[in-house]
Amino acid sequence: MTGVARSLIRWLLLTTLLALVTGSAVALFLAALDAVTALRFSVPALLWCLPLGGAAVAAAYARAGRGVERGNNLVIDAIHAADGRVSALLAPLVLVGTLVTHLFGGSAGREGTAVQMGGSFASAIDRHLLTRWRAFTPLSATDRGVFLQAGVAAGFSAVFGTPWAGAIFALEVLRVGRLAHGALVPCLMAAVMADQVTLAWGIRHTPYPAITSGSEWLALPLLLQVVGAAMCFGLASRLFATGTHALSLAFTRSIARPWLRPVLGGVMVIALTQLLGTRDYLGLGLSSPEPGAVTILSSFSDGGADRWSWLLKGVYTAVTIGSGFKGGEVTPLFFIGATLGNTLAVLMQAPVPLLAALGFVAVFAGATNTPIACTIMALELFGVRAAPYFAVACATSFLCSGRVGVYTAQRRRDHDTAAPATSP
C-alpha cells in the first residue's frame, strides 16, 4: 500500500470518528435550541432573567479558565500554534452558554457553538485516543492543525447543512485572502459526513427560497445595482465588526469582574426591547410565530423588513456578544444582510428576494473575510441561477469591509500576525 493510500485511509478513519461525534453533538444542540427558542416565545417573561443567565455562564467560564472565553479565536489560534490543542471543556461550556443566551432572549447566533464543539472534539480525540493508545500513531504538529480544521468544517457544515461551504470556510478563515488548501481533503470528508450524521438524527435545516428572479446572465443594469448594494453590505459588515469589538473593549476596560459584564449587557437588551416595543431583534431572528414580525425569512418578501431593521439587529447583537454572551455572530449577520437587502431592493426597485439573498451571504463575507465560502454557501442555500451575482456581491463586500473582521485571530496574508480588531 502506498503512502498516499495509507494517508487517505487514516484521514478517512479519523474524520469519520470526528464527524460522528460532532454531527451528533450539533444535532443535539439544534434540537435543544429549537426547544429553548419555543419556550422563550411562549414565556415572554424569561427575558427579565437574561442578566442572571449571563452572569451564571460568565462565572462558569471564569472558573474553567484556560482562555476558553475566547471561543472561535481560541480555535483559530490553536490551528496556527504548534501544539494545536483546545480545551475539552470548551464543548460543554459553549453548548450550555449558547442555550442560556437564547432561552432568555440574547441576540446571538449558533455557528460559534458548532465550530467550537468541532474543534474541542478534534482536540479531545487527538489527546485521549491518538496520543495515549499505542495502537494509533500520534498526529504531528501539522496534522494536528489539519484535524482541528476538519473539526471546524464539521461543525459549520452540520449546523447550516452546507458541507461544501463548511469545508471551504475552515480553509479560508485562518488567513485573510489565502486558502489553506493542504487541508482540503480532511475538511471535505469531515464536512460531508457531519452533515449526513446530523440529518440522520432527524434534524431538518431551514429551507430558503430558490433565487430565480434576476437570473439572466449578468444583465448590466442589475449588475450595477448588485455592485452598489454589495458596497453597502461591506460597509454594514465593517460597522458591525468594529462596533462589536469596541463594545467588547469598553465592557472589559470598565468592568473588572467578568460576570458583571453580561449583567449590564442583559439590562441594555431589556431596555432596548422596552424602548422599541418589539421583540423582533431577540434570539436568532430566523423565524417567529408572531404575525408581522421581522425575521430572516420575512426579508425575502416585499414589506418583510423595516428600513432600520438591519441596524437594530446589529446593535442588539453587538451588545449581546460584546458583553460576553455566547453563541456566534453568523446568523445575526444573515439577519442584518437579508433585511438590509430588503431595504435596498425597495430603494433601488430591484428584485427583493435576490437582494435579500445577496445581503444574507455578502454581509457574512465581509464580516468574516471569507468571500469564497460565502459564495459557495449561497449556491447551496439558494441555487445556482444567480451564481454570478452571488460571486460579485461577496467579493465586493469583502473588498469594501476593510481590514476589520469579527475574528481577531485571523492572520493577514502579508504577515503572520493577527488581524486588528479595528481599522482606521
Side-chain angles (χ1 to χ4, degrees):
M1 185 181 295
T2 66
V4 173
R6 282 197 298 268
S7 178
L8 284 174
I9 292 173
R10 185 190 191 206
W11 280 118
L12 179 60
L13 293 174
L14 287 175
T15 54
T16 298
L17 176 59
L18 178 61
L20 285 170
V21 177
T22 304
S24 299
V26 171
L28 171 65
F29 166 59
L30 291 176
L33 183 58
D34 286 343
V36 299
T37 299
L39 181 58
R40 176 176 62 81
F41 278 121
S42 63
V43 187
L46 285 172
L47 176 62
W48 296 97
C49 299
L50 182 61
L52 181 61
V57 171
Y61 267 79
R63 181 176 291 273
R66 304 183 187 182
V68 291
E69 76 285 347
R70 297 184 60 239
N72 286 353
N73 290 308
L74 174 66
V75 177
I76 293 173
D77 274 341
I79 295 172
H80 285 298
D83 58 358
R85 295 289 173 83
V86 175
S87 172
L89 292 174
L90 184 59
L93 281 172
V94 73
L95 173 63
V96 174
T98 302
L99 294 177
V100 169
T101 298
H102 286 285
L103 174 63
F104 298 124
S107 178
R110 49 187 176 169
E111 106 292 339
T113 308
V115 164
Q116 291 166 50
M117 287 196 299
S120 180
F121 292 141
S123 192
I125 291 171
D126 169 41
R127 182 182 295 111
H128 299 293
L129 183 63
L130 302 181
T131 302
R132 296 185 179 182
W133 289 21
R134 294 182 179 179
F136 296 92
T137 304
L139 292 174
S140 66
T142 300
D143 286 348
R144 188 173 294 130
V146 170
F147 198 40
L148 278 172
Q149 283 182 267
V152 171
F156 191 99
S157 167
V159 81
F160 293 124
T162 54
W164 283 96
I168 300 303
F169 177 83
L171 306 178
E172 192 176 18
V173 76
L174 300 182
R175 287 183 172 86
V176 179
R178 183 184 302 173
L179 281 175
H181 53 81
L184 174 60
V185 172
C187 285
L188 189 54
M189 288 178 176
V192 171
M193 288 188 287
D195 175 49
Q196 291 302 307
V197 169
T198 302
L199 295 175
W201 281 107
I203 297 298
R204 293 296 175 262
H205 298 288
T206 303
Y208 293 99
I211 303 302
T212 57
S213 60
S215 60
E216 52 277 0
W217 195 259
L218 289 181
L220 183 58
L222 183 56
L223 178 60
L224 294 177
Q225 289 179 318
V226 168
V227 171
M231 294 173 67
C232 296
F233 297 146
L235 294 175
S237 64
R238 179 172 184 168
L239 176 63
F240 174 79
T242 304
T244 302
H245 293 316
L247 276 174
S248 178
L249 185 61
F251 277 113
T252 302
R253 287 181 173 178
S254 60
I255 303 175
R257 297 182 183 275
W259 64 269
L260 276 177
R261 296 167 196 160
V263 171
L264 177 57
V267 170
M268 292 172 67
V269 169
I270 293 172
L272 282 169
T273 303
Q274 295 298 110
L275 178 65
L276 296 174
T278 178
R279 291 173 175 255
D280 291 355
Y281 307 109
L282 301 175
L284 279 176
L286 185 58
S287 60
S288 173
E290 300 175 2
V294 176
T295 65
I296 293 174
L297 292 178
S298 76
S299 300
F300 290 87
S301 304
D302 292 344
D306 298 325
R307 178 165 295 186
W308 298 107
S309 294
W310 63 275
L311 182 59
L312 290 172
K313 184 63 174 179
V315 171
Y316 269 76
T317 307
V319 171
T320 300
I321 299 298
S323 62
F325 285 92
K326 305 305 173 185
E329 300 92 347
V330 170
T331 304
L333 288 170
F334 293 162
F335 187 112
I336 294 168
T339 53
L340 179 57
N342 183 291
T343 298
L344 293 174
V346 174
L347 295 175
M348 295 179 173
Q349 297 183 346
V352 169
L354 175 63
L355 259 67
L358 293 175
F360 183 106
V361 292
V363 171
F364 175 27
T368 59
N369 297 309
T370 56
I372 300 175
C374 292
T375 301
I376 294 173
M377 170 177 266
L379 304 183
E380 291 184 287
L381 295 179
F382 304 114
V384 301
R385 295 284 296 276
Y389 299 111
F390 288 130
V392 168
C394 289
T396 304
S397 177
F398 166 64
L399 293 174
C400 293
S401 64
R403 300 184 65 192
V404 67
V406 293
Y407 304 137
T408 58
Q410 279 181 321
R411 306 296 172 92
R412 303 303 305 175
R413 61 182 174 181
D414 50 352
H415 53 78
D416 287 331
T417 58
T422 57
S423 174

